[in-house]
Amino acid sequence: MTSHLEVEKLDAGYEDLQVLNQVSFSLKPGEIGCMLGPSGCGKTTVLRAIAGFEPAWRGRILIDDIEVSSRKIYQPPEKRNIGMVFQDFALFPHLRVEDNVRFGLKGLSRQEQQTRIQEMLAIVGMPAYAHAYPHQLSGGQQQRVALARALAPRPSILLLDEPFSNMDVELREQLAREVRSILKQENNTAILVTHDQNEAFAMADQICVMNEGSILQQGSGYDLYHRPANRFVADFIGQGVIIPATVESANSVKTPLGVIKGDDRIDAEPGSMVDVLIRPDDVVHDDESDDSAIVVEKAFRGADFLYFLRMDSGIEVMCLAPSHHNHKINERIGIRLNVDHLVTFSRN
């Protein structure tokens, strides 16, 4: 079963503390969404409101066009057919893997339960561990069991509350991709809550960037990175620097690194000053270029180096270069711009 989810102008909170402010977003059947933002921004409260653990103060939540939460209507969690995967997985330590998965299948016959358990363990790659106990599994294996248990009753919507936060950094993105593959195989509508943008990029179709209880922008990871709607999103998603520029025309600006042109119309008059977002992948290392900069810092990332550079004008930028371009601190290197998306902000 897969469902359409719609959240409309949702306000919610705890006692007299309002946490969410006019939160609105929607997911199509089978789509994976993500609430992404810093700690305390309200993303888990969104999940709790969808699950039915917190009532809506204002606004409403609909699942398959049926209102489940508003000021007048409150459908309890057990009536919403929602599955959840928690940060600590919440597996029952005294139950074997197959019995953990069986937990949500009480309405089925023993044979139907066993068939669904075997099906789910096969989907998550754990059929050989049916008789193991949670303490005998790795963190990644426990995460797969928790996912199998949540998906076994065929929930309308699956909610995942920071499910990878207890994992090693190296495993998080890999597990996010694996979970995405499983959810797509089951055609499940799902929402992930995380503060890690790499998890969000690896798993979600649509990402909502949150801050202080509001959604600042919803879109794909590509759009959020290349077309941030405001400075917060630009700073929170990816890396980059803001440099000053002068507007030359409706779609071009002059910067210390040269003229940049883009497809999007600039909301400022020619001659006025704006700020321009420059990502590390916008700056290309090029020894033939007339422009150059001094290497101030560098970070080795395996396949590439992230260089922190200072130009003679004092402007600082970042540059992503293949790792065989191994330059020393204080070395001067040639650079040029290769900007596909012109992102400007009015001056503060």
Side-chain angles (χ1 to χ4, degrees):
M1 180 184 294
T2 186
S3 296
H4 169 74
L5 171 70
E6 191 160 356
V7 177
E8 295 181 353
K9 298 181 179 180
L10 177 67
D11 291 354
Y14 308 99
E15 297 181 353
D16 59 349
L17 176 65
Q18 182 171 342
V19 176
L20 302 182
N21 180 32
Q22 296 284 288
V23 168
S24 296
F25 69 95
S26 63
L27 292 176
K28 300 173 184 176
E31 197 168 31
I32 301 173
C34 174
M35 313 307 294
L36 174 66
S39 297
C41 72
K43 52 189 184 294
T44 294
T45 306
V46 174
L47 238 61
R48 292 179 59 82
I50 294 170
F53 300 142
E54 303 298 335
W57 289 9
R58 284 169 292 276
R60 59 182 190 157
I61 299 170
L62 299 93
I63 299 176
D64 283 338
D65 298 322
I66 297 173
E67 196 171 279
V68 298
S69 197
S70 67
R71 291 189 70 175
K72 296 181 178 180
I73 293 175
Y74 170 73
Q75 194 176 77
E78 63 272 16
K79 299 291 186 181
R80 298 192 185 191
N81 191 27
I82 296 232
M84 290 200 70
V85 176
F86 298 95
Q87 185 173 335
D88 61 359
F89 310 137
L91 296 177
F92 300 108
H94 62 288
L95 296 181
R96 296 179 301 178
V97 164
E98 66 176 2
D99 293 319
N100 265 280
V101 178
R102 191 190 310 278
F103 185 76
L105 300 174
K106 292 185 173 64
L108 303 180
S109 70
R110 189 74 178 181
Q111 182 57 50
E112 288 173 329
Q113 289 179 5
Q114 206 60 37
T115 299
R116 183 60 174 163
I117 290 168
Q118 291 172 355
E119 180 184 6
M120 289 312 306
L121 291 181
I123 286 172
V124 300
M126 296 285 290
Y129 294 88
H131 299 293
Y133 287 90
H135 74 271
Q136 298 173 313
L137 306 176
S138 69
Q141 290 171 328
Q142 291 182 39
Q143 190 263 352
R144 292 181 182 92
V145 174
L147 183 63
R149 184 180 65 183
L151 290 176
R154 294 183 171 88
S156 298
I157 297 168
L158 182 70
L159 308 178
L160 303 105
D161 189 4
E162 304 236 25
F164 313 113
S165 61
N166 292 328
M167 302 288 172
D168 294 337
V169 174
E170 296 80 9
L171 277 177
R172 290 180 187 175
E173 191 173 337
Q174 173 191 338
L175 286 169
R177 289 194 301 269
E178 290 180 6
V179 170
R180 174 182 171 82
S181 177
I182 291 167
L183 292 175
K184 289 299 182 181
Q185 185 175 340
E186 286 284 285
N187 196 33
N188 263 93
T189 308
I191 303 178
L192 167 73
V193 159
T194 183
H195 60 271
D196 187 317
Q197 59 184 279
N198 290 326
E199 290 177 16
F201 292 163
M203 186 167 165
D205 301 308
Q206 291 289 321
I207 301 170
C208 296
V209 178
M210 291 192 67
N211 191 40
E212 297 181 347
S214 297
I215 292 177
L216 302 185
Q217 186 175 354
Q218 178 179 357
S220 66
Y222 183 91
D223 284 340
L224 296 174
Y225 183 85
H226 288 293
R227 300 183 181 92
N230 51 57
R231 290 174 186 265
F232 180 88
V233 176
D235 182 60
F236 192 79
I237 299 292
Q239 292 178 293
V241 297
I242 301 289
I243 67 172
T246 304
V247 177
E248 286 206 329
S249 70
N251 63 352
S252 69
V253 296
K254 185 177 182 180
T255 77
L257 282 167
V259 174
I260 306 175
K261 295 183 179 181
D263 295 332
D264 297 325
R265 185 178 179 83
I266 301 169
D267 188 20
E269 294 296 322
S272 59
M273 295 294 293
V274 294
D275 288 331
V276 178
L277 173 65
I278 302 295
R279 298 289 196 189
D281 43 314
D282 293 331
V283 181
V284 179
H285 173 243
D286 183 358
D287 288 326
E288 303 300 317
S289 174
D290 293 333
D291 293 314
S292 64
I294 300 294
V295 177
V296 178
E297 295 179 49
K298 67 178 184 178
F300 181 64
R301 300 195 167 188
D304 48 48
F305 274 106
L306 179 62
Y307 286 107
F308 298 81
L309 308 171
R310 182 181 295 118
M311 301 184 65
D312 293 340
S313 63
I315 297 293
E316 295 189 355
V317 295
M318 289 182 280
C319 173
L320 208 56
S323 61
H324 54 269
H325 291 279
N326 187 10
H327 297 284
K328 298 177 181 178
I329 302 295
N330 294 324
E331 183 178 346
R332 182 177 290 275
I333 64 173
I335 57 173
R336 62 178 171 82
L337 283 182
N338 184 23
V339 179
D340 288 331
H341 301 92
L342 176 57
V343 179
T344 62
F345 304 108
S346 60
R347 301 298 298 270
N348 288 334

